[in-house]
Amino acid sequence: MRAFESQLEELQHNDLFRDLRVLDSAQGPEIRIGDETLLNFSSNDYLGLANSPTLREAFHTAIDIWGTGSGASRLVSGTLAPHRDLEAALAAFKGAEAALTFSTGYTAAVGTLGAILTKGDVVILDKLSHACLIDAARLSGATLRVFPHNHLDKLEDLLRKTREKHPPSGDTRVLVVTESVFSMDGDRAPLAEIVALKEKYDALLLLDEAHALGVLGPGGRGLAEELGLSARVDLHMGTLSKGAGVSGGYLCASRPIIDTLINHARSFIFSTAPPPAVAATARRALEILGSEEGDRLRERLWSHLARLQTALDRKEPLESAILPWIVGEPARALELSQKLRADGFLVPAIRYPTVARDAARLRITLSAAHTAAQVDALAAALREP
């Protein structure tokens, strides 16, 4: 036990200790923690759908029909009509042949890479990719190569060297992995150039649209759709827990790839299926994303982002709903987060190992559910010395 205590003491000494924050209210632009009411700028609920009356009604209706549990893994007895219908809706939404859903985005990553890669294959990963993608690449058994964040020359160098050693005529699969919007920096991948490189070197591309779904592209379909590149991305990954306001991960791809996952993705095969009511509600959320209501929510979100950018005198436009306020030292990030909380704002301090040791920050996220006055209040608090 002393060894664990020593590890925790070291974390505390280095301002890296974390504990759980319990909310006493539903997710929303205002939340309650005990007796405190705070403006919430910490959530990934980008369109404000997590507490949507429409989705609440859909959830209640689905529970009345399907109950609360799925009974087993989907290959045993757990595939219910809402799972099938959600996957059909996801495939149509992303313009893919087929889709498969998982309990979380993390299990989608681990299951997918573990199913399509093996020892002897090569996975080439952006350095700032989410932990689930890094873990999935390591667990797959494939050779892992990492390129500096959005560094196209290094990516091409790795692809060239890989194909010199493993020509396309052989059996080695080469998979490039990146995100469309990076979760801690809020910037976008140079997707058109990455697509061109993966095609030049006959590689596959997995694009994680977790922080773009609902926010970018026509109907909120993501960055690939915004750039007209959806058909040239081999594997579309994402989550329904952010812009869609519900829960669960997904992978959209060709029918052979999805069938490969059904037969080889361990996090899918050996997990009880997500509750059918969650699947039914997620399908309803996709309908909202692609509707006029979804367009109005995106317009409001981007209006808030432009408002914050102007108020903070930022020259570069925000590329997503995420604003990193980088301060460097963990102690400084904690201090700023605590000061904002004293002023009535919930803005988390992000520290190592989530980001680099010298890149601690506040991670500020906006939602369509915020008001202009709330955005102005945040900007005023951030401008204070």
Side-chain angles (χ1 to χ4, degrees):
M1 293 300 293
R2 182 55 193 163
F4 293 112
E5 292 170 355
S6 296
Q7 289 177 334
L8 294 173
E9 288 168 1
E10 183 177 359
L11 289 175
Q12 290 172 329
H13 176 74
N14 293 318
D15 298 305
L16 299 176
F17 182 79
R18 295 160 170 83
D19 55 12
L20 296 176
R21 180 189 302 116
V22 178
L23 273 61
D24 296 299
S25 64
Q27 181 60 238
E30 287 189 5
I31 52 94
R32 193 173 68 258
I33 301 176
D35 294 332
E36 292 181 281
T37 298
L38 303 170
L39 292 180
N40 182 15
F41 288 95
S42 70
S43 172
N44 295 326
D45 181 25
Y46 300 129
L47 297 186
L49 293 178
N51 201 22
S52 156
T54 301
L55 295 189
R56 288 163 67 105
E57 181 181 358
F59 195 83
H60 284 294
T61 299
I63 286 177
D64 289 341
I65 297 171
W66 299 102
T68 58
S70 294
S73 67
R74 287 180 57 189
L75 290 176
V76 176
S77 67
T79 293
L80 298 166
H83 301 130
R84 176 203 62 199
D85 296 344
L86 172 59
E87 288 164 354
L90 276 165
F93 190 79
K94 298 295 289 185
E97 285 184 2
L100 191 68
T101 52
F102 295 77
S103 57
T104 66
Y106 198 105
T107 55
V110 172
T112 297
L113 269 65
I116 68 171
L117 297 174
T118 189
K119 186 176 180 180
D121 294 332
V122 179
V123 55
I124 303 176
L125 191 75
D126 187 291
K127 185 176 182 179
L128 294 190
S129 293
H130 191 269
C132 69
L133 297 168
I134 296 170
D135 291 352
R138 289 172 173 166
L139 291 169
S140 72
T143 299
L144 173 59
R145 297 286 183 261
V146 178
F147 61 97
H149 179 50
N150 282 345
H151 197 305
L152 294 169
D153 289 341
K154 183 61 176 176
L155 171 58
E156 180 163 22
D157 182 57
L158 289 171
L159 283 166
R160 182 189 304 111
K161 290 177 179 177
T162 297
R163 278 312 185 195
E164 287 172 355
K165 186 175 181 180
H166 305 285
S169 58
D171 295 330
T172 298
R173 287 177 181 162
V174 179
L175 176 69
V176 177
V177 176
T178 190
E179 301 182 40
S180 55
V181 171
F182 289 84
S183 60
M184 290 299 128
D185 289 82
D187 59 338
R188 305 183 188 184
L191 187 57
E193 293 83 352
I194 291 173
V195 167
L197 286 173
K198 75 97 179 178
E199 291 175 343
K200 179 178 178 180
Y201 291 97
D202 196 23
L204 298 169
L205 173 61
L206 184 149
L207 179 67
D208 183 0
E209 296 256 39
H211 294 274
L213 185 79
V215 176
L216 300 180
R221 289 174 174 83
L223 181 61
E225 186 70 15
E226 180 174 297
L227 299 177
L229 297 170
S230 289
R232 296 166 66 187
V233 174
D234 303 284
L235 298 99
H236 297 264
M237 190 184 117
T239 175
L240 298 158
S241 63
K242 298 176 173 61
V246 191
S247 183
Y250 67 82
L251 196 288
C252 297
S254 67
R255 185 75 255 175
I257 288 177
I258 296 303
D259 285 343
T260 297
L261 299 190
I262 292 171
N263 285 274
H264 292 287
R266 292 173 65 84
S267 62
F268 171 80
I269 296 169
F270 299 107
S271 291
T272 296
V278 171
T281 307
R283 183 188 178 199
R284 183 69 182 93
L286 287 179
E287 294 174 354
I288 293 175
L289 295 189
S291 69
E292 291 184 2
E293 180 184 356
D295 290 340
R296 289 194 297 271
L297 292 172
R298 275 183 292 280
E299 183 179 356
R300 188 182 308 157
L301 171 62
W302 284 101
S303 174
H304 290 339
L305 292 164
R307 190 180 191 93
L308 183 63
Q309 176 190 332
T310 299
L312 296 177
D313 295 324
R314 287 177 57 94
K315 293 182 173 58
E316 295 296 323
L318 293 171
E319 296 185 90
S320 69
I322 303 163
L323 169 62
W325 195 268
I326 300 173
V327 298
E329 293 297 319
R332 178 59 177 154
L334 284 172
E335 177 187 344
L336 287 176
S337 179
Q338 290 162 0
K339 179 183 180 299
L340 285 169
R341 181 163 174 173
D343 291 337
F345 301 90
L346 180 61
V347 181
I350 306 297
R351 297 156 287 156
Y352 178 83
T354 308
V355 294
R357 290 185 183 274
D358 60 349
R361 66 196 64 189
L362 302 180
R363 180 182 183 269
I364 301 164
T365 53
L366 269 61
S367 168
H370 286 122
T371 66
Q374 290 169 338
V375 174
D376 291 343
L378 173 67
L382 291 170
R383 289 196 304 265
E384 290 179 4

